[in-house]
Amino acid sequence: MPRFRLLAVDVDGTLVNSNHELTERTRQALLRAKQAGVEIVLATGRRYSRVLPLVEPLELNVPLITASGALVKRAADHATLFRAAFNPGALEQCLCVIDESGYEAVLYADTFEQGYDFYCATLDTGSAALAEFLNHNRRFARIHAGLIAQPPKGVFGGFAMGSKNEMLALKSELEHRLPEQFYIHVLRSPRFTGFMCEIAPHGVSKWSAVSRLASHWDIGTDAICAVGDDVNDVPMICAAGLGIAMDNALPEVKAVADRIAPGHDEDGLATVVDWLLD
């Protein structure tokens, strides 16, 4: 049995290359790790509907940690293993701050089997950054006109969009006005030009989801390897027994990693598997 029994893998910038492709070398490496007894977990900021297509080529019935840890589902039957929840009133307060700051919110819901997975107030937004997102994801949207005053039930996370500086300022404002209510990070999806200020309940992260699964499997922290490239990967890279940053990772991610793997365009994840099995 390898020393590391659980491999937590980020998706964009780690599992897939810059063309959003899962290469055959990386796919075979993960299958080899699974055959050697290593549990594989995908941990992504993507929504469930956007990570699900990767499961079939992997040929693995792996738990999917989505929305940066706020929703964990089993791909085989779409069963929900964990869904985060905001403290009473916290989401309403958060939405008011976002609205007062001049931005529109998108809210995530565990409604994949109903044909959508997020709510928005309108599809005709005046925000260029958000319009780009909505144009790519209209079929997964559900309009909820009273989004701010009466957000839908069951929401577990969400985001606003704008420039990097705008979203960093929004993050600071939310943390100042509503301390210790949320886990907030600012990042840019490789598919969009705008940056997302992503919001989840306090204490929720990729690492909180990974550690919950590890406990279920009786796997200790020292036997977990986590690999990623962006700010929402930092908690799991810091906490895992072995934290690895991709060579294409942000400097602040590399700074907290134990090791640096080759980049996602060089099948760096296959190299990580070689390290673990050696």
Side-chain angles (χ1 to χ4, degrees):
M1 176 68 69
R3 173 193 166 189
F4 292 98
R5 297 175 52 206
L6 192 159
L7 175 59
V9 179
D10 169 52
V11 173
D12 293 297
T14 304
L15 176 69
V16 298
N17 62 21
S18 55
N19 293 320
H20 314 295
E21 300 166 335
L22 172 63
T23 68
E24 183 61 17
R25 183 185 172 202
T26 294
R27 189 183 79 88
Q28 289 293 338
L30 291 178
L31 291 175
R32 187 159 53 90
K34 183 67 174 180
Q35 290 164 0
V38 179
E39 296 288 353
I40 308 294
V41 172
L42 301 186
T44 179
R46 291 189 186 193
R47 306 187 318 277
Y48 179 69
S49 61
R50 284 203 57 234
V51 70
L52 194 59
L54 290 170
V55 174
E56 184 176 351
L58 280 174
E59 300 176 25
L60 300 172
N61 183 22
V62 298
L64 301 181
I65 296 172
T66 69
S68 297
L71 182 68
V72 183
K73 293 179 77 71
R74 188 170 58 214
D77 58 2
H78 309 305
T80 298
L81 306 179
F82 171 79
R83 180 175 60 240
F86 292 97
N87 290 331
L91 179 59
E92 288 82 353
Q93 291 178 300
C94 174
L95 293 174
C96 284
V97 174
I98 292 173
D99 182 59
E100 290 169 8
S101 300
Y103 304 106
E104 300 169 53
V106 171
L107 301 180
Y108 295 138
D110 185 13
T111 48
F112 169 79
E113 292 187 283
Q114 298 175 46
Y116 66 98
D117 55 15
F118 69 86
Y119 294 99
C120 55
T122 178
L123 290 173
D124 300 319
T125 175
S127 163
L130 185 57
E132 183 184 22
F133 170 86
L134 293 175
N135 286 338
H136 280 83
N137 293 280
R138 283 177 177 265
R139 69 188 183 95
F140 297 108
R142 175 64 60 91
I143 304 299
H144 188 86
L147 196 76
I148 298 172
Q150 292 184 317
K153 294 182 180 180
V155 167
F156 58 80
F159 67 89
M161 287 191 79
S163 71
K164 183 177 182 180
N165 288 339
E166 288 172 339
M167 293 300 97
L168 288 173
L170 177 60
K171 176 179 183 290
S172 296
E173 182 70 7
L174 286 166
E175 291 175 339
H176 172 70
R177 293 176 58 176
L178 302 169
E180 298 186 1
Q181 287 287 332
F182 309 102
Y183 168 53
I184 307 174
H185 54 264
V186 173
L187 50 73
R188 186 179 74 84
S189 166
R191 293 180 178 270
F192 307 111
T193 55
F195 281 73
M196 294 179 170
C197 179
E198 295 193 326
I199 300 137
H202 182 67
V204 171
S205 67
K206 289 185 180 183
W207 174 247
S208 67
V210 168
S211 58
R212 188 178 297 107
L213 289 170
S215 178
H216 176 73
W217 291 324
D218 196 27
I219 297 175
T221 299
D222 288 347
I224 300 173
C225 174
V227 193
D229 75 304
D230 214 330
V231 291
N232 59 342
D233 299 313
V234 167
M236 69 175 184
I237 289 175
C238 286
L242 178 62
I244 298 177
M246 305 295 285
D247 191 53
N248 51 278
L250 296 176
E252 55 266 44
V253 182
K254 290 183 176 180
V256 300
D258 299 308
R259 297 187 72 171
I260 308 298
H264 63 327
D265 284 332
E266 289 74 46
D267 291 313
L269 195 57
T271 300
V272 171
V273 171
D274 290 340
W275 291 344
L276 299 188
L277 298 188
D278 286 345

